[in-house]
Each structure stands twice: as C-alpha cells, then as structure tokens.
Amino acid sequence: MDVSPLVWTLTIAGIVLLLLFDYFFHVRKAHVPELREAAIWSSVYVGIALLFGVGVLVLGGGAAGSEYFSGYITEKALSVDNLFVFLIIMTSFRVPREDQQKVLLFGITFSLAARTGFIFLGAALINSFAWVFYIFGLILLITAGNMLKPESSESRHDENIAVRVARRLFHTSPDYDGDKLFTIHDGKRALTPMLLVMVAIGGTDLLFALDSIPAIFGLTQDVYIVFTATAFSLLGLRQLYFLLDGLLDRLIYLSYGLAIILAFIGVKLVLHALHENNVPFINGGEHVPVFEISTGLSLTVIIGVIVVTVVASLWSKAGRAQTAISNARRHATDYLDLGYTADHSERIRVYAALCEEETTIKNLGEKYRQKARDEEELMDLLHRAHAEHDESVRRAARDGTA
C-alpha cells in the first residue's frame, strides 16, 4: 500500500488516543471489571479493528485486505496465548485483582512500543538483506517445535532475569502499597511488587515480539499493514483477559494450533526466501523455482486451524476437567490469601466461583473426580478454603448477635 505521511500520522494518533482513553476512563480508578463491561469493550475494540480492515480492503485492494486480516487474526491468536503467561505472572506476584487492569495496560503499551521498534528494524533488514527471510523462517520453525514441548508450571512461574537483578540490586518491599511503584519499607525507599510485576511483563513482552513479528512479516512485508494489524491485535487485550478469565485453561489445544500456524508461516517464509534467493552457497546465488503460498491460502489455513483448535478444546471433556481443576485451585488460593484484595465482595465472588468449579468437577464423572482427589495439594487447599469460609460465617453471625 502507498500510505502518505498524513495517513501514518492520523493512524498513530488514533492508536495513542485509544490507549489514553483506556487509561483515563477505565484503569485510572482501580476496580474489577464485570463480565458485561469486559464483553462490551472487547467487542468495541474488535469492531474497530474489523472496520479498519474493511477500510484497508476498500482503499488498498483485495490483496492488502487479505494481508491485514491474516496478520490481525494471527497476532490476535498469539496474544491470547500471551494471556496465559500474563495470568501466571500476576498470580505468582499476587497482584490484587482490582489492580490487574493497570498492569495489563502497561504491558500492552510496552509491547506496542517494543514491537513497533522490531517492525521498523525488521523492515529495514528485509529491504537490505533478502536472506533475513531464512532467519525469520527458522525462528518460527524453532518456536513451533518449542510450543509442542511439555512445560512444567514451575518453569513458567520462574522470575525472569530482569526481576532477579532488580531484587538483587535494589531494596524491595514484600507487600503492595496500592498501585504505587515505590514505597517506604524499613525506613527506606523501596520498589514495590507492582513495579517488579511490570518489569516481568515488559521482559516477557520482548520475548513475545521475537515470535510475533517474524510471524506477521511472513504474511506481508507492507510495514503499514504489519504495524496496524499488530497494534489492533494488542488493543482490547486487557478486556479480553477479563472476558476469558477462567476459560484460558480450557483451550488445551491452543498451543498445538499456534504451533501449526507458526510452522506453516515458517515454511512460507523459507519458500519465499528460496524464491528471492541471493545467498551464494544456495543454488549459486540464483533464485530457486519453488511453490509460493498465496495470502488467500494463508488466511484460509490460519482461520481453519484456529476454528478447529478452539472447537476441539471447548468440546473436550478433558479440557473441561482441566479448566475446573485449575480454576478451583486458583480460587481456593485467592480466597485463602487475605492480602489478595481488600474488597469483601471480591472474596464472596471468589468463594462462589470455587463452589461452582467443585460442582463442575463432581458432574464430570468418576474419572475426573478421582483425578482431582489424587492431587493432595488441591484437596488441602479446598479443605482450608471451606474451613476459612465456615469460620468467617461464624464470625459474622457472632458479630450480628452482638
């Protein structure tokens, strides 16, 4: 697409305004968004992205429109996978639920800035060195292989190097002080866990960019389309996090679907690199006549893989069991952690959700009930959560009598 500087300026200004709107009208005051709020605003951001895609289709033509939608869908799918890691990071740092929105918005803003830098760097490399397509394709193929490897929950909870360095070099406080980044601890100025979790999210975002940017460059080399598809896939991610809360574990086949998509794009990049080849030790530096995958075929494969992955995950009884067990463990832990939130209504919501997940496990059949019973740590958490709830009810009854 031939995009003028004015269009670039208006596009960037619009994206910045959407981020500012999100901050000043949604996350400035700490609160836990209700499902209805998350659903409405998630739909609004998806609608904006789709309308923009229609504009690209009308003004830029069918090829540009297909490239935009292929890139947007791929980046959106990858962003959903990123939410798994965001959830793990915020759980491990015990981020109060009412402050999670601000952490997510910081992560989205940092991610957008980092990926913008990677996009222009990638575009410069591609324009100067055609062999970069080989590198990008190899990165995606390796990433696809890594996504198929089993990963323990402990390894995903490990703090990244930036957080470990921060804890080692600076005085840090063990507790949150609202949403402040700095506080006074033991008479000295200290970093709060809120700042550390933002560092963790930011460091993780950089790793995500190393996967996502080569993926979208495998679908289009138009910098404007790459930038806008990436930006719109990130906008609304905060709302999507709360909309999918409790359902992320249900998508048990998502990693397989994403691995297929990344491997497919990796092969597409290698084929394109062979077609444009100028590396001396490959075919004498001459172009290699190979089949090139069209944008239309790419879009069809991406949509098809995502649909099959999501449907298979939602229909899977094993997926429902895994979701219920994971959510029961998370809700029991949150309920027992009295420092998790100062909002009493949030504790009531967490306990109700815990009871609902236990009911789901009971209704799934003996095989999955036994699976839950075999997890001694889970059973201990559930027992302690119910004991704590019973005690709080007795305390409330005594206080009411008094």
Side-chain angles (χ1 to χ4, degrees), residues 120-188:
F120 286 103
L121 176 62
L125 288 173
I126 287 172
N127 290 333
S128 302
F129 310 103
W131 52 263
V132 170
F133 285 111
Y134 286 114
I135 304 298
F136 280 3
L138 183 61
I139 289 173
L140 294 184
L141 290 172
I142 293 173
T143 302
N146 288 335
M147 293 188 79
L148 297 178
K149 293 180 181 179
E151 185 176 18
S152 67
S153 59
E154 289 79 8
S155 65
R156 300 189 79 175
H157 276 77
D158 287 345
E159 292 179 345
N160 64 29
I161 187 171
V163 174
R164 293 199 298 270
V165 170
R167 288 193 187 275
R168 183 179 296 271
L169 296 180
F170 302 102
H171 181 52
T172 60
S173 68
D175 302 312
Y176 287 89
D177 186 4
D179 60 358
K180 294 179 182 178
L181 303 181
F182 298 92
T183 189
I184 301 299
H185 177 65
D186 291 340
K188 295 187 294 184

Side-chain angles (χ1 to χ4, degrees), residues 57-121:
L57 184 65
V58 172
L59 300 176
S66 296
E67 289 176 357
Y68 170 82
F69 283 113
S70 297
Y72 173 74
I73 293 170
T74 299
E75 293 297 303
K76 199 68 175 179
L78 288 170
S79 71
V80 171
D81 188 55
N82 297 352
L83 290 181
F84 283 96
V85 183
F86 287 168
L87 175 62
I88 289 171
I89 290 174
M90 287 194 285
T91 299
S92 63
F93 277 91
R94 297 170 58 238
V95 179
R97 188 168 171 79
E98 57 267 25
D99 291 321
Q100 289 181 3
Q101 291 197 95
K102 189 164 291 185
V103 174
L104 283 168
L105 187 57
F106 166 81
I108 291 167
T109 305
F110 183 89
S111 181
L112 182 56
R115 294 185 193 203
T116 299
F118 278 117
I119 286 169
F120 286 103
L121 176 62

Side-chain angles (χ1 to χ4, degrees), residues 352-372:
L354 170 61
C355 293
E356 184 177 343
E357 298 300 343
E358 287 183 293
T359 301
T360 300
I361 295 172
K362 292 176 182 176
N363 293 336
L364 284 173
E366 179 59 29
K367 174 183 176 182
Y368 299 106
R369 288 198 299 270
Q370 187 60 47
K371 181 180 179 181

Side-chain angles (χ1 to χ4, degrees), residues 34 116 133 160 170 192 260 266 275 329 331 378 385:
E34 297 179 352
T116 299
F133 285 111
N160 64 29
F170 302 102
T192 68
I260 293 172
H275 186 269
R329 181 185 297 106
H331 293 319
L378 173 62

Side-chain angles (χ1 to χ4, degrees), residues 153-286:
S153 59
E154 289 79 8
S155 65
R156 300 189 79 175
H157 276 77
D158 287 345
E159 292 179 345
N160 64 29
I161 187 171
V163 174
R164 293 199 298 270
V165 170
R167 288 193 187 275
R168 183 179 296 271
L169 296 180
F170 302 102
H171 181 52
T172 60
S173 68
D175 302 312
Y176 287 89
D177 186 4
D179 60 358
K180 294 179 182 178
L181 303 181
F182 298 92
T183 189
I184 301 299
H185 177 65
D186 291 340
K188 295 187 294 184
R189 186 174 176 83
L191 309 181
T192 68
M194 180 62 72
L195 179 57
L196 294 179
V197 73
M198 287 184 175
V199 170
I201 293 271
T204 306
D205 278 333
L206 289 176
L207 296 178
F208 290 157
L210 295 176
D211 297 336
S212 67
I213 298 307
I216 193 168
F217 268 117
L219 298 169
T220 175
Q221 286 81 59
D222 189 305
V223 178
Y224 183 76
I225 293 177
V226 171
F227 172 74
T228 52
T230 301
F232 283 117
S233 72
L234 292 172
L235 293 174
L237 193 60
R238 176 186 62 81
Q239 294 86 348
L240 187 63
Y241 174 88
F242 290 95
L243 183 62
L244 295 180
D245 182 32
L247 293 179
L248 289 174
D249 290 313
R250 181 74 170 271
L251 301 176
I252 60 174
Y253 302 124
L254 179 63
S255 60
Y256 297 103
L258 291 177
I260 293 172
I261 291 173
L262 291 180
F264 172 79
I265 299 175
V267 170
K268 183 178 188 293
L269 275 171
V270 172
L271 291 174
H272 182 71
L274 289 170
H275 186 269
E276 302 293 327
N277 179 63
N278 57 9
V279 178
F281 57 83
I282 297 179
N283 198 37
E286 298 296 325

